[in-house]
Amino acid sequence: MMYSMRVEPGMERIQVPNGIVPTYLSAAAATMNKRLRVVPGYVFTRTKKDGAERVPEEEWKAIEAISSTYPSSLDVVTCRIIDGPLKDLPILQIDPAVKAVLIRMNLLGETREYWLPVRFADPSVKKPKEKVVYTDEQRAEMLARAEKVGVKAAADAFGVPWQTIAQLRRWAAKSGEGEGTDGRPSRMKKLAPGKAVSLFVENAVLRERIASLQGTIEKMERILADLR
């Protein structure tokens, strides 16, 4: 269950430091790797606070899908998302030039539009299997979803085999300094199974918060420079 709190746009991290501020990679800003607020002027919390309102479950699922760093694949023949977090969201428009789809959703009482990058896939063309290497953020998202809804449901949500997430969980819960799923040494210390998973997810969330705070600091520095 999630709750939303309305704040001044651009001040989300400052007014509610411990809140959740979902961001997404806009197709227009993809080359700059710049992430934007999914719902500007709102901060989300898992516990009800003064002035907070409950977020409908379907709307929160849509916000999670839009903010996911895991890519979605578009079938170029049927023009439908065939896997990934955007699979269940309605597509309004497709831009082949930048490989992006337009998603329109009603979130928190307002109709909002998002141009989101996707991968173009043609199921009629068979390609040799390639080893997929997931980023820390993608692993954290899959592990967090598995903890919440189970391995099978999480695998369906991300469009990956359930064995992939099961393997990630085994790796994250390992004791010692073993190798990760991509062959790189794990930085995780000897922790009890379950705690390792939680710390892995928590570290990814903290990295996202630090990146967002850096953006806020840069914005404030520009405002101060203009006032001088």
Side-chain angles (χ1 to χ4, degrees):
M1 187 178 299
M2 296 297 295
Y3 297 90
S4 66
M5 299 177 65
R6 191 159 193 168
V7 298
E8 184 180 346
M11 303 293 285
E12 293 90 348
R13 296 287 184 185
I14 297 174
Q15 294 187 9
V16 188
N18 297 323
I20 300 170
V21 183
T23 61
Y24 74 102
L25 184 64
S26 168
T31 55
M32 298 181 288
N33 199 30
K34 182 179 180 181
R35 295 184 70 84
L36 307 175
R37 303 282 194 268
V38 177
V39 191
Y42 283 89
V43 177
F44 300 88
T45 62
R46 298 190 183 279
T47 56
K48 185 171 176 58
K49 300 180 182 294
D50 291 341
E53 295 185 5
R54 182 177 176 181
V55 180
E57 186 176 349
E58 288 304 311
E59 291 188 22
W60 178 247
K61 284 183 179 179
I63 291 172
E64 281 189 311
I66 293 168
S67 63
S68 175
T69 61
Y70 191 86
S72 295
S73 298
L74 178 77
D75 183 340
V76 297
V77 177
T78 63
C79 294
R80 292 183 178 180
I81 299 292
I82 55 176
D83 63 42
L86 302 180
K87 185 176 179 181
D88 297 324
L89 300 187
I91 297 176
L92 187 66
Q93 201 173 331
I94 299 171
D95 187 342
V98 294
K99 292 187 177 180
V101 295
L102 176 62
I103 303 292
R104 178 183 290 169
M105 299 293 300
N106 189 288
L107 301 174
L108 303 185
E110 184 178 334
T111 300
R112 307 171 192 272
E113 294 185 349
Y114 307 90
W115 275 105
L116 304 172
V118 293
R119 296 184 300 192
F120 278 22
D122 185 349
S124 65
V125 178
K126 291 186 178 179
K127 296 182 180 180
K129 251 188 172 181
E130 296 180 359
K131 182 181 178 180
V132 180
V133 178
Y134 300 105
T135 64
D136 288 345
E137 289 76 12
Q138 290 169 346
R139 292 174 186 162
E141 284 188 59
M142 288 190 278
L143 287 170
R145 181 63 66 86
E147 287 293 308
K148 188 176 180 181
V149 301
V151 172
K152 181 65 169 60
D156 290 342
F158 288 105
V160 300
W162 67 266
Q163 292 91 339
T164 297
I165 296 182
Q167 184 180 17
L168 286 175
R169 292 189 72 183
R170 286 195 296 271
W171 169 75
K174 269 184 182 180
S175 296
E177 298 279 341
E179 286 190 344
T181 53
D182 58 358
R184 296 181 299 178
S186 169
R187 296 190 296 271
M188 304 186 79
K189 302 294 181 183
K190 291 187 177 182
L191 297 171
K195 188 174 182 181
V197 175
S198 298
L199 287 178
F200 186 75
V201 175
E202 184 179 344
N203 286 339
V205 173
L206 287 174
R207 282 194 296 272
E208 191 274 335
R209 286 183 177 175
I210 291 170
S212 295
L213 284 173
Q214 184 62 39
T216 300
I217 292 170
E218 291 173 358
K219 182 177 178 181
M220 297 298 290
E221 287 176 345
R222 288 195 297 269
I223 293 173
L224 290 172
D226 291 339
L227 293 174
R228 289 171 184 167

